[in-house]
Amino acid sequence: MPLLIGREGSLAAVSAAADGERDLLLVTQRAADVAVPAARDIYRVAIRARLQQASRGISGATRILVDGLERVRLTRVVRTPLTPDAGANPRRPRRAAGGRRARAATMLEATWVPFPLPDALRASDATRARLRHALALFEDYAGLQRRIPPEVIGLLQGLDDLERLAFGIAGHLQVAIERRQALLEAATLADLADQLVQMLSSELELLKLERKIDEQVRGSLFQNQREFFLQEQLRVIHRELGQEDGDEFDDMERQLAERGLPEVVQTRAQRELRRVRRSAPTSPDAAVARGWLDVVLALPWTQRTDDVIDLEAARAALEADHYGLQEVKERVLDHIAVLGRVGSLPGPILCLVGPPGVGKTSLGRSIAHALGRQFVRMALGGVRDEAEIRGHRRTYIGAMPGRIIQAMRRAGAINPVILLDEVDKLGSDWRGDPASALLEVLDPEQNRAFNDHFLEVDYDLSQVLFITTANSLAGIPEALRDRMEILRIPGYLEPEKLAIATRFLVPKQLAAHGVDAAKVTLANDVLVSIVRGWTREAGVRDLERRIARVARKLARRDAAEAVTVDAAMLPTLLGPPTHDDSDIELRDQVGVASGLAYTSTGGELLEIEVTVLPGRGRLQLTGTLGDVIKESAAAALSFVRARADALGLPADFHRTRDIHVHLPAGATPKDGPSAGIALAVALTSALTGVPVRGDVAMTGEITLRGRVLPIGGVREKGVAAHRHRIAHVIVPQGNARDLAELPAEVKDGVTWHPVRTMDEVLELTLRRDA
């Protein structure tokens, strides 16, 4: 069994045992208050034990594990000197010169003789019967004494050694030390068995009497009366301690009067307070009404924060936190300017749409900072229960307000900035449609009287500035999209990424990893190499991870050593580049055209490969394509067949040739109509053998008559074309108005060609003079 020891003499004894034959004598002290016991202070019958393990705990005490061997009688006890620090470490006692232990303090040592039970090996039948009776009594004792583990009974029942059985029972009795010592000093096994039977019988009587009294007391008090009595006692105790200035309900009534509640809410709150006063404290209805009152008192009804009307200060706050994003910043500054003129303005409903990592979520926090308002973020990704928005009705156990009311409770003001993150990731199932519940929240004409199922009174949300974020509008229902002002955030251009990394990411990561920025110099080509070779994203999230990895590698170097990082060191710090410009070839090729796609991560350059083989006119489409893009491929092939004479193709070319269309990468799903003209160009090139210009990318929907229809995502596709250093981009004439929204670097760095028909597309893309 384990023991905890802390006195100097005991620690010295453990140290000596650990240094020798590991034998210890475990002796009971007559008086527990004697700090340094002498020979007269201990009993003479003890246990010889073997030290198995010793370890020092955090509190200073030493924990030892001992194995009892036999009962012994002490014949002579002496006090032996020991070293001053003996016992400090029971595993390694110090020794004086010459190999002998230096002695200064004292410990007890004793000579002993074995003291076995004389009749243990030849016990009589009467002794066996008494021990069996003692075991039966101990089973009843253990059932009433909760501190004895249930597995002890099983261990004792499995013992064949009568001596071990007797001492096993004695060791688990919860009696005084003197009575336990008397059991240890029993002269014979028969005497020990008699003492056990007598002791267990008396203890059982006491335990049964205690159980009987406890049951009588419990039965005499009803649960409600008992709780009411305890509540009254607690209230009196608080009043005596000065922790209660007045009646609880009076305080609640005073708070209701001070909160400035609307008249309807005030009337309802007073009615609920009267119900709580009349109800018993343990009544379920009282608990529900009390919870409702707590929510009403915690909500802001008239409290508001003062808006910051200083345009220059707001502009500086926005610029300090984010680079670029001019459209969103201008919209916030417009709102502040109008607030300065009219004083009060219903909060707009803004929807920031853009790829991951462009700063949509952090931009919401910056807007709140610029306006001087409270900020609350709500993550809506994966929410499927309508009650998450509207709350639970109070008839349900554990009902609580919806997340909108909880957000207002946390904000503490009626005009916070609430960010609804990932609104395009809302789900729906048999529990309801959260997107439909948001219709009332995000409608400026309705949210001034938002009704939460738990609150059951109208709450004004018209002063709240709601900002939602999404990666794509495709996942937002049309009705919800109509209620929001859409602000698109395109992917960052390479100069913008470099500026963000220089101003924000590099200082942030160096400080986070404990690297002194003054001792680190980044060569001019380092960030450019990381952006081009190790990241390919619309945002800067992966770029920040790469910079953090460089900072971790630098943290392993000598802190006092200045280091200069150049592009040649990046493969050592980051591993081999994960992206290569040669993955997408920009040279002229037959049957290969470059399209532009818009995904949830931003714009992408899409290669379209077409191969013509001898066959029977079969069209094969590969590359994980959706139904819409397959229909675009069929429409493009029909256009080529209809223009066979003008293109110099046999009228029946489709009967003798198989056409295979592939869009890498094969594992990435692709869909949408915007690849229509690129498919038609690739088909025309493959069938005629005329190469397609490698510096041209295109996007647009094709019709059977060769018209080019407008598509979406022109801004993101333009950023992708600029990122891949495309020289010419063909877009539908219907999208020419969207070119004005392009960043200046994209608009000036790429030549744009609005077209109406496929004839113009073929004229711009095919090199007929090759």
Side-chain angles (χ1 to χ4, degrees), residues 404-459:
I404 298 294
I405 295 298
Q406 292 183 35
M408 297 300 298
R409 184 178 182 176
R410 293 198 304 271
I414 62 173
N415 61 336
V417 175
I418 296 182
L419 179 74
L420 305 178
D421 211 3
E422 307 293 353
V423 72
D424 59 328
K425 310 287 191 307
L426 285 170
S428 62
D429 56 14
W430 55 271
R431 291 170 292 186
D433 184 5
S436 299
L438 282 177
L439 293 177
E440 181 183 3
V441 176
L442 300 181
D443 191 340
E445 299 299 325
Q446 301 181 39
N447 61 12
R448 64 181 64 253
F450 173 68
N451 195 283
D452 185 90
H453 288 164
F454 180 87
L455 205 58
E456 294 180 343
V457 293
D458 292 341
Y459 189 82

Side-chain angles (χ1 to χ4, degrees), residues 548-578:
R549 184 171 179 181
V550 172
R552 288 195 297 270
K553 298 295 184 183
L554 294 177
R556 296 171 58 180
R557 299 172 179 264
D558 187 0
E561 178 185 353
V563 61
T564 299
V565 180
D566 55 23
M569 299 172 59
L570 291 179
T572 304
L573 299 174
L574 298 176
T578 56

Side-chain angles (χ1 to χ4, degrees), residues 29-60:
Q29 189 172 318
R30 295 181 183 276
D33 56 348
V34 178
V36 183
R40 63 180 177 275
D41 297 320
I42 60 176
Y43 289 98
R44 294 294 170 165
V45 178
I47 296 294
R48 186 172 69 90
R50 177 65 49 81
L51 177 64
Q52 301 289 353
Q53 184 181 354
S55 60
R56 178 172 289 276
I58 299 176
S59 61

Side-chain angles (χ1 to χ4, degrees), residues 324-329 331 350-355 358-360 363 468-476 478 481 484-492 496 598-600 602-603 711-717 719 735 738 741-743:
L325 308 178
Q326 294 304 319
E327 182 180 356
V328 182
K329 294 177 180 178
R331 180 61 181 87
L350 306 179
C351 180
L352 309 181
V353 181
V358 295
K360 300 184 297 296
L363 186 59
T468 65
T469 69
N471 296 132
S472 173
L473 292 176
I476 304 177
E478 183 64 32
R481 193 188 316 166
M484 300 185 294
E485 181 180 347
I486 308 298
L487 298 177
R488 293 189 178 273
I489 302 179
Y492 290 119
E496 293 175 324
Y598 174 56
T599 67
S600 60
I711 40 77
V714 173
R715 192 172 183 177
E716 290 77 7
K717 294 174 182 179
V719 171
N735 292 113
D738 299 327
E741 301 179 2
L742 293 173

Side-chain angles (χ1 to χ4, degrees), residues 95-115:
R95 293 182 177 273
R100 304 187 62 182
R101 184 181 295 111
R103 307 282 182 172
T106 60
M107 69 176 178
L108 292 178
E109 290 188 345
T111 58
W112 52 271
V113 293
F115 186 39

Side-chain angles (χ1 to χ4, degrees), residues 20 41 64 67 85 110 184 215 241 249 256 332-333 358 361 365 410 425 441 452-453 487 522 664 679 695 698 708:
D41 297 320
I64 64 173
D67 188 10
D85 58 342
L184 180 63
E215 290 176 353
L241 292 174
F249 298 121
L256 290 175
V332 175
L333 294 176
V358 295
T361 304
R365 185 176 288 104
R410 293 198 304 271
K425 310 287 191 307
V441 176
D452 185 90
H453 288 164
L487 298 177
L522 298 182
L679 286 166
D695 59 348
M698 62 208 79
V708 180

Side-chain angles (χ1 to χ4, degrees), residues 335-354:
H335 181 75
I336 295 175
V338 176
L339 274 177
R341 289 178 175 270
V342 300
S344 177
L345 187 68
I349 315 295
L350 306 179
C351 180
L352 309 181
V353 181

